[in-house]
């Protein structure tokens, strides 16, 4: 089976969705480790509960982003996974890192990319008065939140939404969508082409929609 390492900085609800999916008998991949930049991330507890090996590369213990990335890269090289899943991993990765694992790095981003790259997407969507929001799963490239989008799920923005209610609605979709995309990757159905996503060998004209 293809091997997966999940990197998470926080609560790890996406990690949990992946762990749950990976327990299905026909799941085509195996989560071999979970890594975090935060020693106290709840994601690490979820992994431990599921008897998955964990590791920490604490960014506060590294002088520079390059040093942190080099250490993280060394851990990942040791594990040598087929896929690295960023699940709420809140560190920007260096170009060297991204290049080293090109085509093997997936990220979940809480917006309908290319709209709202970066942080605080829910607040920014509310401030803009948008009526539609959502989540994107994309391949990670050197451009921050700019890699080719594989799949999206949309959610409505409601009149009385706060950033929290909106985040919760988006996260419900993340938990459905991420396991589907990871499944596709493990089945060899999606890969990163020169600039775009290849799905069953053909370039995706637009992201798949849940
Ligand atoms: C998720 O909503 C994910 O989309 C977001 O962090 C959350 C992590 O939740 N990611 C980013 O904002 C990336 N810039 P989780 O720890 O419960 O999976």
């Amino acid at each position: 089976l293809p091997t997966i390492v999940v990197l998470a900085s926080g609560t790890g609800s996406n990690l949990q969705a992946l762990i749950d999916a990976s327990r299905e008998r026909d799941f085509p991949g195996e989560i071999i480790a979970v890594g975090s930049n935060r020693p106290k991330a709840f994601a690490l507890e979820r992994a431990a509960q599921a008897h998955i090996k964990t590791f920490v590369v604490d960014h506060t213990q590294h002088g520079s982003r390059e040093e942190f990335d080099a250490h993280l890269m060394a851990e990942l090289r040791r594990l040598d996974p087929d896929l690295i899943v960023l699940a709420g991993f809140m560190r920007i990765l260096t170009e060297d890192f991204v290049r080293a694992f090109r085509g093997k790095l997936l990220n979940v981003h809480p917006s309908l990319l290319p709209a709202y790259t970066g942080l605080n997407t829910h607040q920014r969507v509310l401030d803009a008065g948008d009526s539609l929001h959502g989540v994107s799963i994309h391949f990670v490239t050197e451009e921050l939140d700019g890699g080719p989008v594989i799949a999206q799920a949309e959610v409505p923005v409601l009149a009385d939404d706060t950033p929290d209610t909106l985040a919760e609605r988006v996260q419900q979709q993340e938990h459905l969508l991420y396991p589907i995309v990871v499944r596709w990757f493990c089945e060899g159905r999606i890969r990163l082409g020169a600039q775009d996503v290849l799905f069953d060998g053909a370039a995706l004209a637009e992201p798949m929609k849940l």
Side-chain angles (χ1 to χ4, degrees):
L1 283 184
T3 53
I4 303 165
V5 171
V6 181
L7 299 180
S9 302
T11 310
S13 68
N14 280 284
L15 167 68
Q16 190 65 55
L18 291 163
I19 289 172
D20 293 347
S22 73
R23 286 183 173 141
E24 287 160 24
R25 218 184 336 134
D26 66 341
F27 194 78
E30 186 194 354
I31 303 173
I32 56 166
V34 172
S36 184
N37 60 308
R38 293 189 182 278
K40 290 188 172 149
F42 188 62
L44 294 172
E45 273 179 49
R46 295 184 191 267
Q49 281 286 329
H51 307 290
I52 298 169
K53 163 184 162 153
T54 62
F55 64 94
V56 173
V57 181
D58 186 343
H59 65 279
T60 66
Q61 303 297 311
H62 291 78
S64 67
R65 193 182 298 285
E66 286 70 26
E67 209 185 293
F68 168 80
D69 273 23
H71 188 163
L72 183 61
M73 214 185 290
E75 291 285 345
L76 290 167
R77 286 225 164 93
R78 244 192 301 282
L79 293 161
D80 193 28
D82 296 298
L83 173 63
I84 300 163
V85 174
L86 306 182
F89 189 64
M90 304 304 276
R91 302 297 300 168
I92 294 173
L93 300 165
T94 58
E95 290 189 6
D96 278 355
F97 185 99
V98 171
R99 253 185 248 122
F101 301 106
R102 188 177 195 280
K104 294 185 175 188
L105 271 170
L106 298 181
N107 184 42
V108 57
H109 183 78
S111 78
L112 297 172
L113 291 172
Y116 304 108
T117 61
L119 297 174
N120 303 320
T121 58
H122 310 301
Q123 182 67 60
R124 286 155 64 207
V125 162
L126 289 173
D127 291 347
D130 294 357
S131 57
L132 199 63
H133 185 33
V135 54
S136 304
I137 313 286
H138 66 96
F139 276 111
V140 176
T141 60
E142 285 91 334
E143 199 187 334
L144 181 65
D145 298 329
V149 178
I150 301 161
Q152 293 182 323
E154 295 174 348
V155 303
V157 181
L158 305 181
D160 57 353
D161 265 332
T162 65
D164 285 348
T165 60
L166 194 49
E168 195 184 318
R169 195 172 309 118
V170 168
Q171 284 206 336
Q172 283 174 4
Q173 297 302 306
E174 297 181 356
H175 303 158
L176 295 175
L177 193 60
Y178 219 171
I180 293 174
V181 173
V182 169
R183 212 176 236 284
W184 284 336
F185 185 94
C186 291
E187 290 168 347
R189 298 193 68 184
I190 49 172
R191 53 195 182 82
L192 178 60
Q195 340 253 355
D196 40 20
V197 178
L198 302 179
F199 195 101
D200 289 342
L204 268 190
E206 52 187 284
M208 306 290 287
K209 288 280 159 72
L210 186 67

